[in-house]
Amino acid sequence: MELQAVAKPGFTSLSPDRETVASFDREGRLYAYFKGGVTYRRSLASTVHVRWRDGSGARQRGRLSRDEAARVLAEAYAMAADCLPHASGPVRQRLEREILRWTPESLLAEADRFAQVYKPISILPPDQYLSIVLQATEGCTWNRCTFCSFYQDRPFRAKSHAEFAGHVAAVREFLGRGVLMRKGIFLADGNALALSQARLEPIFAAARAAFPGQPIYSFVDLYTGERRPVADWKRLVEHGLHRVYIGMETGLDELLRFLNKPGSQEELIAFVADLKQAGAAVGLIVMVGVGGAEYREAHGAATVAALAAMPLGPGDLVYLSPFIEHPGSVYSARRAQAALTPMDDAAVEAELQRLAGQVRRLGVRAARYDIREFIY
Ligand code: SF4
C-alpha cells in the first residue's frame, strides 16, 4: 500500500490508493468517503448521503438506508484499519486514538445524540454546511410561503436565554474536537434574526463565548429584517455578525405575491442597502424556475434589475437555486390552477447558467445552490 495521509489540525485524511480517500473529524468520526467516483458524506446525525455522475455526466444523489449506511461505514473503517500498519507519526496516533475506536454501530448511534441536541436542521446555505449550527429559535415566523416546507413540522418559538445557553453547551459537547473542522456559527432556524435587539445581543455574546472568534451567519427575511434600524444592525456586526442570507426568491413583485411571500423589490433593495451600510455582507437566494415557463423572462429580468440596484460587492453572494416543486404543496395547487407550465431540469439549468452570467457581469459572485445536496 502506498498510503497518502495527512494530519491537519481540523481533520485526518487517508488515501490508500488513487481511487479511495476518507476524511475524519478530530473525534475520529467519518466525514467523507470517496471510492471509485462515488462520494459519500456522513451528516452529524450519521445519515449517509451519496453523489455520483451517471453515464451522461449528470449529477445524481441520494440518501442511503440505515443498512446501506452501516455497510459504507464498515467499509471506510476497515480501510482505515488496513492503513494502520503503513501509518506513522501523528497519522498513526490519530488512527489509534481517534478513528479506530469507532464502529458502524457506535457511529450510527450518533443519530440519538444529535436528536438530543438539535431539532432537525432543515436547510443551510451551501457555504455553511461546515458551520456550527446553534438553534436560537425554532421554525419560521411566517411559515406561509406556498412553496416552502422547511419548518412546517414546528411552530416558531424562541428559546429562553437559559435554554439557549444549555443548547450551546450541548452542541459543544456533541461536536467535541470535531469543532476544529468547522468554520463560523450559523444561528438557526429560519429566522433567528427576527428576535428583538435586547434578546439577540446576549445570544450573540453566548455563542461567541462558547466558540471564540467565530463569525456569525444567519438567515433573515425582509419583512422582519427591514424593521431593525441600521444602528442596531451595526451593533450586531460589532458582535460578530458577518453575513446574512435572504430568501429573495425573485425580484418580481407579482411573482412574490403569487408565492405568498411578503415584501417587494423596492423594499428589498432598501433593506440590502441598510445591511451594507451597517457593514454586513449578504447572500441572496433566487429560485430559478419558480413560476414556470410563463414567468421565466419577467422573473429573470426583474431579479437581475433588482440585484443591479443593490450595492453588492466582493463579500456578497447570489445563490441560484433550481426550484423544486413539492407535490401536494399550496404552490403546486396554485400553479396548476393558474395553468403555469413547470420547467424541466434542462430548462432550469439553462436559465440558471444564463442568470449566473448576468449576475457575474454585475461584478457579483454567483453560485449554484441545490437544496437536495444540503447536509449538516
Ligand atoms: S419566510 Fe423563508 S422559511 Fe419562512 S416560509 Fe417563507 S421561505 Fe420558508
Side-chain angles (χ1 to χ4, degrees):
M1 179 190 292
E2 292 232 352
L3 176 64
Q4 304 281 322
V6 282
K8 296 273 185 192
F11 66 93
T12 313
S13 150
L14 303 172
S15 178
D17 57 60
R18 284 161 173 259
E19 290 288 289
T20 313
V21 186
S23 52
F24 302 84
D25 75 7
R26 291 302 312 281
E27 289 289 324
R29 293 172 291 207
L30 184 73
Y31 165 69
Y33 178 49
F34 176 83
K35 174 94 185 163
V38 181
T39 303
Y40 302 93
R41 272 275 280 110
R42 190 191 67 91
S43 73
L44 285 169
S46 270
T47 53
V48 176
H49 302 242
V50 57
R51 270 200 336 255
W52 72 97
R53 287 198 185 268
D54 66 16
S56 69
R59 282 158 84 97
Q60 301 293 335
R61 60 190 77 71
R63 182 174 151 176
L64 301 186
S65 69
R66 194 180 159 89
D67 286 351
E68 291 165 336
R71 275 198 294 278
V72 168
L73 295 171
E75 186 182 305
Y77 279 81
M79 181 278 282
D82 290 344
C83 290
L84 183 63
H86 306 272
S88 57
V91 171
R92 188 179 179 93
Q93 272 181 8
R94 290 189 190 180
L95 271 162
E96 288 170 340
R97 292 182 194 165
E98 299 172 9
I99 298 170
L100 295 176
R101 66 194 180 95
W102 291 94
T103 62
E105 294 69 34
S106 64
L107 266 179
L108 288 172
E110 287 289 275
D112 302 328
R113 287 183 70 210
F114 183 91
Q116 281 162 18
V117 174
Y118 286 116
K119 277 270 194 304
I121 314 285
S122 301
I123 191 72
L124 293 172
D127 59 313
Q128 295 295 317
Y129 296 171
L130 265 177
S131 62
I132 301 157
V133 174
L134 298 177
Q135 288 173 310
T137 56
E138 292 171 1
C140 162
T141 45
W142 176 248
N143 227 4
R144 277 175 276 170
C145 298
T146 56
F147 58 89
C148 175
S149 59
F150 289 135
Y151 303 109
Q152 283 179 359
D153 59 341
R154 68 200 92 159
F156 182 79
R157 184 176 84 83
K159 288 184 176 155
S160 70
H161 190 69
E163 192 184 358
F164 181 69
H167 172 66
V168 171
V171 169
R172 244 180 99 169
E173 160 81 23
F174 174 63
L175 290 177
R177 283 174 306 154
V179 80
L180 293 168
M181 76 182 298
R182 304 210 159 248
K183 293 185 184 73
I185 296 165
F186 194 89
L187 271 192
D189 276 340
N191 221 333
L193 297 181
L195 296 180
S196 70
Q197 192 76 9
R199 291 183 83 167
L200 268 184
E201 289 190 15
I203 284 174
F204 272 54
R208 297 258 280 183
F211 303 104
Q214 296 279 11
I216 297 179
Y217 304 85
S218 191
F219 286 122
V220 68
D221 269 294
L222 169 63
Y223 64 95
T224 49
E226 67 183 346
R227 293 187 209 137
R228 192 182 305 277
V230 176
D232 285 357
W233 282 115
K234 256 190 193 139
R235 297 256 318 147
L236 294 180
V237 170
E238 285 159 15
H239 277 72
L241 182 65
H242 185 73
R243 180 186 293 126
V244 296
Y245 297 84
I246 306 168
M248 171 181 181
E249 329 304 1
T250 176
L252 187 66
D253 290 355
E254 179 189 327
L255 186 51
L256 268 186
R257 284 194 295 278
F258 181 75
L259 302 174
N260 197 31
K261 182 140 193 163
S264 68
Q265 186 198 92
E266 194 184 338
E267 284 169 81
L268 181 63
I269 293 168
F271 176 45
V272 170
D274 281 0
L275 288 168
K276 298 298 299 175
Q277 196 191 334
V282 295
L284 293 146
I285 301 155
V286 172
M287 294 193 303
V288 181
V290 73
E294 288 77 4
Y295 272 109
R296 185 189 64 81
E297 214 172 308
H299 166 38
T303 300
V304 174
L307 295 170
M310 295 174 191
L312 301 177
D316 304 312
L317 286 165
V318 172
Y319 278 125
L320 300 167
S321 183
F323 175 62
I324 311 291
E325 179 176 321
H326 300 291
S329 63
V330 178
Y331 173 86
S332 188
R334 287 199 188 161
R335 198 259 312 138
Q337 203 176 30
L340 299 175
T341 318
M343 287 163 65
D344 64 20
D345 288 354
V348 169
E349 211 49 51
E351 180 64 1
L352 193 151
Q353 294 308 329
R354 189 180 78 84
L355 292 177
Q358 294 193 10
V359 173
R360 289 183 190 124
R361 279 194 286 284
L362 298 173
V364 179
R365 277 194 290 166
R368 192 171 192 281
Y369 177 4
D370 194 325
I371 59 171
R372 293 166 295 189
E373 292 180 4
F374 157 67
I375 185 165
Y376 175 60

